[in-house]
Amino acid sequence: MGLMLFLFLFLFAFSQEKVFHLMGTYAIIDLPSEKAYQAYRFMKELEEKLSDYIEDSEVSKINQKAGVEPVEVSADTLEVIKKSLWLSELTEGAFDITVGAITIRARRLREISEDEARNLVNYKKVRVEGSSVFLEEKGMAIDLGGIGKGFAIQKAYEFIKTDKGFIAIAGDLRVWGHKRLLAVYNPINGKILAQGYNKKDLCLSTSGNYRREHIIGKGGKLLQVTVAYEDCTLADGLSTALFAMDDKKRWDFIEKHPQFGYLLLLSDGSVYVNKTFLEFFESLEFFGNGVK
């Protein structure tokens, strides 16, 4: 997501906010100056481990050794991969970090065709043993783009240990220890879809394919999805997964898992929001064509 979407996606209120370039986009951090830089450096170090754009990152090494041998990785890389595989099971494969065969091997590097790449997308062929990770087939690749930003925010929050703060990267944010006016962007008219003050600490993650097709999946009638939850890693991965599902599977998942907050914008401009999402806010004002 670009800076324009990022700026519209959340309303900002405090003078201590600082903007950093991170993970190919922009991060807004509202913490005291020293803490803000510490949080940035921490997330930058995570990026250096997890980014498939960095040739010597741990994820790139895993991809380079696909079908050859396991790669020893740090605790952080191991954690995000394990959580990704757990989400793959939860979503019955709608979330799958081995989509890198398509996004990296086929589309970016043009090493293989998309048909070949699709046959290599299978999270069940990611083998984790101890502190090593192995992709079982040559041509497989891990792409953490659907979960990495949420993971970085969550880990920075745990690392920084402040009473209150705000961290956002593109379509993902965490706010804790204070109330803040938050807004969700409406890509149909370029205005605000919903806004309100948070009632408690929360993470929000928004996904959509209206600027570039970076989420591989069905999409269907869904234009944009925002997930609210206590954990930013799961919120990020779930917003990606929900967008990748077909319409029937998405509604079945939402009904089966009411513990997550969902705000869906459909292609006809209508909005669906569940009770859990509303419970994260003192009140939420909508500007769409109707809320279900």
Side-chain angles (χ1 to χ4, degrees), residues 154-168:
Q154 182 66 28
K155 296 301 290 184
Y157 158 75
E158 294 170 5
F159 168 76
I160 212 70
K161 294 183 174 66
T162 57
D163 292 334
K164 66 177 183 177
F166 173 87
I167 302 175

Side-chain angles (χ1 to χ4, degrees), residues 16 18 29-38 160 162 164-165:
Q16 294 186 84
K18 293 172 178 60
I29 302 175
D30 181 13
L31 291 165
S33 294
E34 183 179 344
K35 291 288 187 179
Y37 187 71
Q38 287 177 4
I160 212 70
T162 57
K164 66 177 183 177

Side-chain angles (χ1 to χ4, degrees), residues 50-207:
L50 306 181
S51 174
D52 57 82
Y53 284 90
I54 299 174
E55 189 174 353
D56 61 350
S57 74
E58 293 180 351
V59 165
S60 290
K61 289 176 182 177
I62 293 169
N63 293 344
Q64 291 158 13
K65 296 294 184 178
V68 179
E69 62 184 4
V71 174
E72 291 285 323
V73 297
S74 65
D76 291 324
T77 302
L78 199 65
E79 180 181 350
V80 70
I81 289 175
K82 284 183 175 180
K83 286 188 174 181
S84 296
L85 297 177
W86 181 85
L87 271 171
S88 294
E89 291 290 343
L90 181 71
T91 62
E92 299 178 352
F95 182 83
D96 193 331
I97 54 175
T98 64
V99 73
I102 299 174
T103 59
I104 300 169
R105 302 283 195 197
R107 293 189 177 177
R108 191 199 312 161
L109 302 179
R110 301 186 183 279
E111 296 175 343
I112 57 177
S113 70
E114 285 214 17
D115 286 340
E116 291 176 289
R118 289 182 187 278
N119 291 327
L120 292 167
V121 177
N122 187 346
Y123 71 91
K124 293 182 179 180
K125 292 187 177 181
V126 180
R127 191 190 308 164
V128 178
E129 296 180 356
S131 59
S132 69
V133 180
F134 178 55
L135 302 180
E136 294 183 358
E137 292 192 40
K138 287 187 177 180
M140 290 184 70
I142 287 175
D143 181 346
L144 294 173
I147 198 170
K149 294 177 181 66
F151 179 73
I153 292 171
Q154 182 66 28
K155 296 301 290 184
Y157 158 75
E158 294 170 5
F159 168 76
I160 212 70
K161 294 183 174 66
T162 57
D163 292 334
K164 66 177 183 177
F166 173 87
I167 302 175
I169 308 174
D172 297 273
L173 71 80
R174 182 177 189 102
V175 57
W176 69 96
H178 69 286
K179 295 175 182 178
R180 192 180 193 96
L181 183 61
L182 305 173
V184 177
Y185 170 77
N186 186 340
I188 295 174
N189 58 20
K191 297 180 181 179
I192 291 172
L193 177 66
Q195 69 176 29
Y197 285 92
N198 56 298
K199 184 187 296 184
K200 52 188 175 180
D201 298 356
L202 84 159
C203 299
L204 287 181
S205 179
T206 297
S207 293

